[in-house]
Amino acid sequence: MTPSELRTYLRQRGQASLVDLVARFDTDPEVVRDVLGYWQRKGRIQETAAGCGKTCGNCNNGPVVFYQWQE
């Protein structure tokens, strides 16, 4: 996965979680975090947190972080 591949994917999709990105690019989470960090340092990616989307209240993992491309 290259920075430009990640950029293209986020531009097309709008936003994605780390889990989504790892699955899409079939790579290690640390590799994805490194590329996300590259774009974050340039001010091109914004992190947002959201709940898991379920109403059961049993989510012990905390909020899910989504990454959104900023034009």
Side-chain angles (χ1 to χ4, degrees), residues 22-40:
V22 167
R24 164 62 179 88
F25 293 106
D26 191 28
T27 191
D28 187 83
E30 288 304 313
V31 172
V32 176
R33 283 188 188 102
D34 287 345
V35 177
L36 287 167
Y38 168 82
W39 286 117
Q40 285 174 314

Side-chain angles (χ1 to χ4, degrees), residues 41-59:
R41 288 187 298 278
K42 292 184 170 287
R44 305 305 286 177
I45 288 181
Q46 177 182 355
E47 285 185 25
T48 57
C52 68
K54 298 179 182 175
T55 58
C56 66
N58 290 330
C59 186

Side-chain angles (χ1 to χ4, degrees), residues 10-21:
L10 285 176
R11 278 180 169 170
Q12 291 172 348
R13 184 153 178 185
Q15 70 177 14
S17 69
L18 181 63
V19 172
D20 294 334
L21 294 169

